Amino acid sequence: MIDTLPRRGEAGAGARTGIRLAAVLIGGLVVLLVATVLSLGIGSHVVPPRTVIDALTHFDPAQDDHLIVVRSRIPRALLCLVVGVGLAVAGAVMQALTRNPLAEPGLLGLNAGASLAVVVAISFFGVSELAGYLWFAFVGAAVAAVAVYALGTAHRSAATPARMALAGSAIAMAVGAVTTSILLSRESAYDQFRFWAVGSLQGRPLEVTGAVLPCVALGVAGALALIRPLNALALGDDAARALGASAPAIRLGGGLVVVLLAGAATAAAGPIGFVGLVAPHLVRLLVGSDHRALLPGTIVLGPAILMVADVLGRIVIAPAELPTAVAAALIGGPVFVALIRTNRRIAG
Amino acid sequence: MTGRRRTPVARSGVLRIASFSLRLDLGGMRLAAILLVLVLVALAVSLMLGAVPLAPVEVLRALAGDGEERILRTVVGRRLPRAVCALLVGVCLGVAGCVFQSLSRNALGSPDIIGFTTGAATGAVAQITLLGGGVLATAAAAVAGGLLTALLVYLLSRKHGVTGGIRLVLVGIGIGAIMAAVTDLLLVRAGIAEAASAQVWQSGSLTGRGWPHAWSLVAAAVVLLPLIGIAGRALRMIEMGDDVAHGLGIRVERVRFAVLVLGVLLTGVATAVAGPIAFVALAAPQIAARLARGSGLHLALSGLIGAVLLACADLLSQHLELGLRLPIGLVTALLGGVYLIWLLARRA
């Protein structure tokens, strides 16, 4: 499923990967930059690019356009960056830990856990502030992650992709049923919940980004520190042991990283699927599965994909706005299918 | 995923009628008999319970067309068609799940995971929100949506003339996510009344299902189940590998396509009647495989287990008082999820 490192004997393999990685990083950054500029200009009220630049360089609070850009669209773009990085790197680490090409926060039940926690916060604890749900969502995602992992690896058997995915979908569906039935019984809770649950980046105050930023930063640092162990794990548990790495220890560290990243991203933006799945696959397709190249590429392409989705979501049914999660699935789905069709490493 | 397997040869007999012979698994027969009894018990209980509790004698008299007008109306007019719907939707989903898991050689290859149920829901939601409802039209749209989705998944997962395996599951998950996003898009764009009625349909319910629904299910079952039974023989050989099946003179891809269409029709009809019902198609074949302990295809057992599951779920959704509204789709999700969690926790 995830193939091994380039062998030492393969002359030039490392150099080729380096060049490809540079291309991915530069290309990704260009896309990210363009999408960010568009994201600052496009919306229910279109601000021309010149005014966007003006607002950034010579901010004038008296001008409405400047206010829109600085007070509403910049926070949204920042959140998009943080969430995109969190989801994508979480997906890459999950795929490595579980050796499961389908691993991503949504499919392994983290979104479902976060959703249930938010609904419980609204219905039973009377929490009404976005900043208040944040920690509930975080805990919910973390509990779901631990539960799926524990189930997937119960009885000392290796965490096979099928077991892990089965555990994820079992927990997601059971937890989702409880969530929906609470919502069906309490209409006022549904009204609040749907603003969080549409997986939107709209109307999130800057404090939300501030609250999750340290978690995402810590998670990314942890993921980068795990590059060598993750590469060792890709060779199999036995091979990892032979290389002096303890598979359970790597899984524990990686699990913490995933919980930090995916928990923070989901808490801030609601359940957004596909970014965590598509970004690592796309990077793997372009640079191979050595985590030294994979993780940096993912860090750039993740937010680029989410930013493009966010911008398209505002264009497609303008003047109405498509929830970012829906836009992400509409873009991510076809990319994902195309990947499966073209990449022999994923599905033979 | 099936755990230890016992060879069924020792406990099997052969039924020969002229040139037609059928090897019967005696253990499987006993299991089927037990399941049939369970089905009848569930049927009896669902006819007795309700706002007006009835004694078994009264139910039997009503079924014979005798007794008070009021009781006749309750039993024959309301409870019987609903119970028949529950049982047949269960059979359809159980058999469809078995077919798809065999086609994809994957425990996750059930119609609710690989997008067919979602596609059927998209069709129905499109009909409700764009064209304005109508029970028959919604049902037709559900079947059409399921078929179109399946065709798309089939075509996209085809490579070098071959469909099966993990690629089918992966493509199905991708297409399913796209269809779910399209559904959300339709709901976002729809008026509040249409969106509300589409939401209710989407959580899956058997409330108010009467004889027209039951008869359409009976008709579908009478046509489709025997055809799948016939194809089951070829399917069992394909499970031994494409090459082996080829060697035995089976046109693998043709059988696959035919079985796929039949399975999708079953799923579509069930979804049309009850809305998207999660997990029965996923869990029933898995339960069948574990109870029967034999390798191979368990079409009949999966169907019976599906019927028992859905009948019990319907009883719970009607009579369980938790202070929560639990439509049957949520009950099945909850039951199936809890069951799979238990299964994963218990056995390696």
Side-chain angles (χ1 to χ4, degrees):
Chain A
M1 308 229 161
I2 292 170
D3 63 353
T4 53
L5 310 181
R7 258 170 267 141
R8 259 162 220 242
E10 281 174 26
R16 263 207 311 277
T17 304
I19 294 167
R20 284 181 167 192
L21 176 62
V24 166
L25 291 179
I26 293 167
L29 281 173
V30 169
V31 172
L32 183 59
L33 199 68
V34 171
T36 307
V37 171
L38 285 175
S39 132
L40 296 180
I42 288 169
S44 53
H45 175 82
V46 177
V47 180
R50 281 191 68 94
T51 323
V52 170
I53 294 165
D54 270 358
L56 294 177
T57 49
H58 316 92
F59 176 58
D60 174 6
Q63 286 195 43
D64 285 349
D65 279 2
H66 285 202
L67 273 179
I68 290 175
V69 169
V70 172
R71 293 278 149 78
S72 143
R73 295 204 180 142
I74 287 182
R76 180 173 180 158
L78 285 176
L79 181 62
C80 192
L81 278 177
V82 174
V83 169
V85 170
L87 289 174
V89 178
V93 175
M94 283 171 110
Q95 287 165 18
L97 289 182
T98 60
R99 283 193 214 109
N100 182 347
L102 292 182
E104 67 118 18
L107 285 165
L108 290 197
L110 271 69
N111 285 349
S115 296
L116 179 59
V118 167
V119 168
V120 167
I122 296 171
S123 330
F124 299 112
F125 292 90
V127 181
S128 58
E129 291 286 300
L130 198 58
Y133 314 152
L134 198 68
W135 304 111
F136 279 89
F138 207 105
V139 172
V143 171
V146 171
V148 169
Y149 181 70
L151 269 184
T153 56
H155 301 285
R156 288 178 294 137
S157 64
T160 64
R163 261 187 87 85
M164 210 55 138
L166 210 54
S169 65
I171 285 190
M173 286 209 194
V175 167
V178 176
T179 308
T180 314
S181 66
I182 295 177
L183 288 175
L184 279 175
S185 322
R186 295 172 188 247
E187 275 173 33
S188 59
Y190 177 67
D191 207 38
Q192 277 189 49
F193 174 74
R194 84 199 152 104
F195 286 104
W196 178 81
V198 289
S200 173
L201 303 165
Q202 193 185 11
R204 301 326 204 219
L206 206 53
E207 296 89 78
V208 169
T209 312
V212 298
L213 183 62
C215 302
V216 172
L218 200 61
V220 168
L224 293 176
L226 281 174
I227 282 177
R228 285 173 61 88
L230 288 180
N231 274 342
L233 197 64
L235 301 170
D237 284 18
D238 292 337
R241 204 171 305 126
L243 290 171
S246 144
I250 302 171
R251 290 217 168 88
L252 183 68
L256 282 174
V257 165
V258 166
V259 166
L260 274 174
L261 290 169
T266 307
I272 294 183
F274 264 94
V275 176
L277 191 65
V278 168
H281 276 305
L282 202 55
V283 178
R284 196 172 292 129
L285 186 68
L286 296 168
V287 302
S289 34
D290 183 343
H291 289 88
R292 283 172 297 183
L294 182 61
L295 284 180
T298 306
I299 290 171
V300 172
L301 277 200
I305 291 171
L306 192 61
M307 195 74 83
V308 169
D310 189 39
V311 169
L312 284 181
R314 285 185 249 174
I315 297 174
V316 180
I317 56 168
E321 192 175 301
L322 196 58
T324 313
V326 176
L330 283 176
I331 298 173
V335 173
F336 177 60
V337 172
L339 277 175
I340 294 159
R341 282 191 58 75
T342 51
N343 189 354
R344 306 189 56 182
R345 283 194 292 250
I346 298 175
Chain B
M1 294 304 298
T2 39
R4 255 176 305 136
R5 282 172 175 178
R6 212 186 293 168
T7 30
V9 178
R11 301 194 305 171
S12 62
V14 179
L15 180 73
R16 282 205 183 84
I17 301 167
S19 63
F20 179 79
S21 76
L22 185 65
R23 209 191 66 191
L24 295 174
D25 176 348
L26 295 182
M29 295 282 285
R30 201 172 58 197
L31 198 56
I34 295 171
L35 287 169
L36 261 179
V37 171
L38 284 177
V39 165
L40 289 175
V41 169
L43 183 65
V45 173
S46 64
L47 293 181
M48 283 156 53
L49 290 182
V52 189
L54 296 172
V57 183
E58 288 175 294
V59 170
L60 284 175
R61 280 181 58 193
L63 287 178
D66 190 20
E68 273 180 62
E69 168 75 8
R70 190 175 53 92
I71 295 180
L72 264 176
R73 226 182 17 241
T74 307
V75 173
V76 182
R78 278 208 306 274
R79 291 184 193 168
L80 185 59
R82 179 173 179 156
V84 168
C85 282
L87 290 174
L88 285 180
V89 166
V91 170
C92 289
L93 290 177
V95 171
C98 187
V99 162
F100 289 127
Q101 290 180 19
S102 164
L103 276 182
S104 61
R105 293 194 197 120
N106 192 306
L108 289 174
S110 82
D112 38 354
I113 302 279
I114 56 181
F116 302 163
T117 314
T118 324
T122 308
V125 170
Q127 215 287 327
I128 293 172
T129 58
L130 298 178
L131 303 169
V135 172
L136 256 184
T138 306
V143 175
L147 267 181
L148 275 178
T149 310
L151 194 66
L152 203 60
V153 171
Y154 176 79
L155 289 176
L156 287 174
S157 62
R158 228 173 124 89
K159 207 169 172 188
H160 312 304
V162 180
T163 320
I166 184 81
R167 197 165 54 234
L168 185 72
V169 177
L170 290 169
V171 169
I173 286 175
I175 299 291
I178 298 171
M179 297 315 272
V182 171
T183 307
D184 284 343
L185 175 64
L186 289 166
L187 288 175
V188 169
R189 299 227 58 184
I192 186 73
E194 287 83 18
S197 101
Q199 277 290 11
V200 169
W201 187 85
Q202 262 214 301
S203 55
S205 172
L206 284 171
T207 308
R209 301 301 190 267
W211 282 114
H213 299 100
W215 284 124
S216 60
L217 277 170
V218 169
V222 165
V223 175
L224 297 173
L225 291 179
L227 288 175
I228 287 191
I230 294 169
R233 223 176 70 88
L235 210 53
R236 203 173 313 209
M237 291 178 187
I238 293 176
E239 280 199 341
M240 295 189 284
D242 286 10
D243 294 340
V244 177
H246 255 302
L248 292 168
I250 289 172
R251 285 188 260 192
V252 174
E253 276 307 302
R254 253 189 223 189
V255 171
R256 267 200 195 121
F257 186 73
V259 171
L260 188 83
V261 170
L262 290 171
V264 171
L265 285 174
L266 277 180
T267 312
V269 170
T271 310
V273 168
I277 300 278
F279 241 115
V280 173
L282 181 68
Q286 297 288 314
I287 300 174
R290 279 167 172 87
L291 288 180
R293 300 252 180 116
S295 57
L297 211 56
H298 301 287
L299 283 170
L301 288 181
S302 302
L304 284 171
I305 289 168
V308 173
L309 276 179
L310 210 60
C312 293
D314 193 35
L315 284 173
L316 286 178
S317 90
Q318 287 185 78
H319 306 299
L320 191 71
E321 284 301 328
L322 283 177
L324 296 174
R325 280 175 60 193
L326 270 177
I328 186 164
L330 298 183
V331 177
T332 57
L334 202 57
L335 284 181
V338 169
Y339 168 77
L340 267 172
I341 290 169
W342 173 75
L343 201 68
L344 285 165
R346 204 176 63 104
R347 283 178 68 153

